[in-house]
Amino acid sequence: MSIDLSKMPKLGFGLMRLPENDGVIDHEQVCRMVDKYLEAGLTYFDTAYVYHGGKSEVEAREALVKRHPRDSFTLATKLPAWEIKKEDDVERIFNEQLERAGVDYFDFYLLHSIEEGNNYDTYVKYNCFEWGVKKREEGKIKHFGFSFHGSPELLTEIVDNHPEIEFVQIQYNYLDRTNPVVRSQELYEILRARNIPMVIMEPVKGGALAKMVPEAEAMFKAKRPDKSVASWALRFVASQPGIMTILSGMSDEAQMEDNLNTFKNFEPLTDEETAVVNEVTAKLLEVPQIGCTACKYCTPGCPMQISIPDVFRTINTLRRTPDDWRSKNFYSGLIQRSGKASDCIACGQCEGVCPQHLPIIDLMKEAAEILGE
Ligand code: SF4
Ligand code: SF4
């Protein structure tokens, strides 16, 4: 049965950033959030095998499945390529997911995070596309799709070769439309041209579009003082045609409240408001970026093993959107494996080899200040 977009809620509840107390999911708060979301007439819950180290699917069972009738919500989850080492693993993981979530079937099932390289190769190697069709025929999956982080070229190849795919989850927000790494607008156009429904992730760019440089925020506030900065990002995405649902990984009741307000009596962006979004996008793209081309000529000789281009990538995002928690998380992970910006001893080796003639020592000081280490 094809997906009827008119029956899909515009806001999906992403269960990947649930509230926690001392590293433990705050079950009581999640229950209240689930209830509020359902009371608002919304139904789409999105989890994955790997979210919260495997605890998200279990929390879906405890806060949602055990407490609400099965036909009052839809549940989506995902198969992790990186956990599949042999063909039997696919079935084993799927059965584990059913058990963890306490359900007999999933309404939406996705191959998680397809991109060039290992993940896609694994799904092909272990016949996961054919397996998904079989599960759908068995009634264990109602709708089969995948989430995607690769190039427009790969997306075209997959959707043209796999008519069994009913929907695709992509990253889309106003700032990433022209981002050369994400190429969101191209991904959107490919799916739109083929009439494939889209689930949208990162509509607020991991929180980055909830707080940005003050000049850009002021442009939104001047137009609609009553609306939060984040609500513009959600309204922008929700105003595009072909969207099945927009995932927001809500971390507390306040975020839930703000999102529900945005979608209650949803107002699509007017032409004037779309113009404001485009002006803000241009303003954010004007914020100076470090012109590092990630050639890595500088890294082998750094005595402190600082991953210089990765530090600059982080700083470039934070200069535009200082609250981008995803970039901060990326940096925390990075410095487990390599040196910190604050480790720089100003030896100057890197500046001597950098073909872009970047003032790396000064930039490392700025990075250490922004990142706190
Ligand atoms: S100046 Fe700093 S970043 Fe550059 S090579 Fe030396 S320690 Fe590494
Ligand atoms: S040598 Fe310069 S441009 Fe190349 S990665 Fe290092 S900082 Fe970036």
Side-chain angles (χ1 to χ4, degrees):
M1 204 181 7
S2 64
I3 299 167
D4 181 352
L5 291 190
S6 68
K7 298 219 164 74
M8 296 299 302
K10 281 224 185 286
L11 176 66
F13 188 171
L15 306 174
M16 75 288 270
R17 280 172 223 144
L18 293 169
E20 291 185 342
N21 287 326
D22 299 325
V24 177
I25 293 175
D26 179 350
H27 173 66
E28 297 306 318
Q29 190 173 177
V30 175
C31 287
R32 290 195 297 275
M33 290 166 74
V34 163
D35 295 353
K36 260 191 200 148
Y37 176 79
L38 287 170
E39 276 160 24
L42 306 173
T43 51
Y44 191 96
F45 292 84
D46 172 82
T47 180
Y49 188 77
V50 292
Y51 291 167
H52 282 276
K55 303 248 168 52
S56 172
E57 289 176 334
V58 175
E59 186 58 31
R61 179 185 73 213
E62 295 302 313
L64 173 67
V65 177
K66 278 188 176 173
R67 299 175 58 251
H68 295 278
R70 182 65 184 92
D71 59 1
S72 67
F73 62 86
T74 60
L75 186 58
T77 195
K78 312 182 190 79
L79 182 70
W82 50 97
E83 299 282 338
I84 304 169
K85 307 293 177 223
K86 54 186 191 310
E87 194 150 348
D88 291 355
D89 286 344
V90 178
E91 197 67 18
R92 175 186 59 76
I93 291 169
F94 183 74
N95 288 333
E96 198 184 326
Q97 289 179 296
L98 290 173
E99 198 182 321
R100 276 182 183 180
V103 293
D104 300 326
Y105 65 91
F106 291 109
D107 304 87
F108 299 91
Y109 197 79
L110 302 89
L111 304 181
H112 201 165
S113 196
I114 291 189
E115 59 191 334
E116 275 87 355
N118 287 348
N119 289 359
Y120 181 49
D121 295 348
T122 300
Y123 292 131
V124 172
K125 181 173 175 192
Y126 295 113
N127 303 310
C128 295
F129 286 91
E130 295 81 353
W131 171 86
V133 173
K134 194 173 89 191
K135 285 286 133 190
R136 191 169 55 195
E137 285 165 3
E138 289 171 8
K140 295 289 184 185
I141 293 173
K142 300 291 179 201
H143 298 289
F144 183 39
F146 61 85
S147 65
F148 190 76
H149 288 281
S151 70
E153 291 75 20
L154 181 62
L155 181 62
T156 304
E157 183 191 316
I158 298 175
V159 291
D160 285 349
N161 286 313
H162 291 282
E164 69 272 26
I165 288 299
E166 295 167 86
F167 67 102
V168 177
Q169 181 168 320
I170 58 166
Q171 175 168 335
Y172 189 68
N173 58 64
Y174 60 80
L175 189 58
D176 282 327
R177 280 179 289 174
T178 55
N179 180 332
V181 178
V182 187
R183 297 165 73 188
S184 281
Q185 192 61 33
E186 290 176 73
L187 301 177
Y188 173 88
E189 301 294 347
I190 289 164
L191 297 171
R192 189 72 194 118
R194 290 160 180 76
N195 221 10
I196 299 173
M198 288 168 251
V199 175
I200 301 300
M201 55 185 156
E202 305 296 4
V204 192
K205 202 169 161 53
L209 301 182
K211 182 156 177 51
M212 53 190 65
V213 290
E215 307 90 279
E217 285 200 19
M219 290 158 81
F220 282 141
K221 285 293 174 194
K223 183 75 186 163
R224 293 290 297 265
D226 57 319
K227 298 279 180 200
S228 70
V229 173
S231 73
W232 282 85
L234 291 171
R235 287 178 65 220
F236 168 78
V237 177
S239 300
Q240 312 303 316
I243 305 295
M244 187 172 131
T245 195
I246 298 165
L247 296 178
S248 178
M250 292 171 269
S251 304
D252 58 38
E253 289 170 282
Q255 270 178 28
M256 167 74 74
E257 205 61 56
D258 188 38
N259 287 347
L260 291 179
N261 280 336
T262 300
F263 285 95
K264 193 164 71 185
N265 307 320
F266 175 71
E267 303 168 52
L269 290 182
T270 62
D271 289 349
E272 266 180 40
E273 288 174 329
T274 302
V276 174
V277 170
N278 289 336
E279 282 162 26
V280 167
T281 305
K283 174 63 75 187
L284 291 175
L285 294 177
E286 262 172 27
V287 175
Q289 299 281 282
I290 301 168
C292 170
T293 58
C295 68
K296 296 192 176 169
Y297 293 168
C298 56
T299 49
C302 174
M304 306 313 288
Q305 282 89 45
I306 301 170
S307 185
I308 299 167
D310 288 323
V311 173
F312 290 165
R313 195 144 63 92
T314 311
I315 294 305
N316 277 341
T317 308
L318 292 172
R319 279 183 177 183
R320 283 181 177 146
T321 49
D323 266 11
D324 187 343
W325 69 266
R326 183 160 277 222
S327 292
K328 289 179 182 163
N329 276 4
F330 169 77
Y331 185 70
S332 306
L334 181 72
I335 60 177
Q336 307 298 316
R337 310 184 295 274
S338 55
K340 303 192 271 287
S342 60
D343 292 338
C344 175
I345 53 169
C347 69
Q349 175 280 143
C350 51
E351 293 193 358
V353 295
C354 177
Q356 308 303 321
H357 309 294
L358 295 173
I360 299 176
I361 297 171
D362 286 348
L363 289 168
M364 280 297 149
K365 282 187 198 142
E366 179 192 335
E369 225 162 83
I370 292 176
L371 295 160
E373 52 187 333

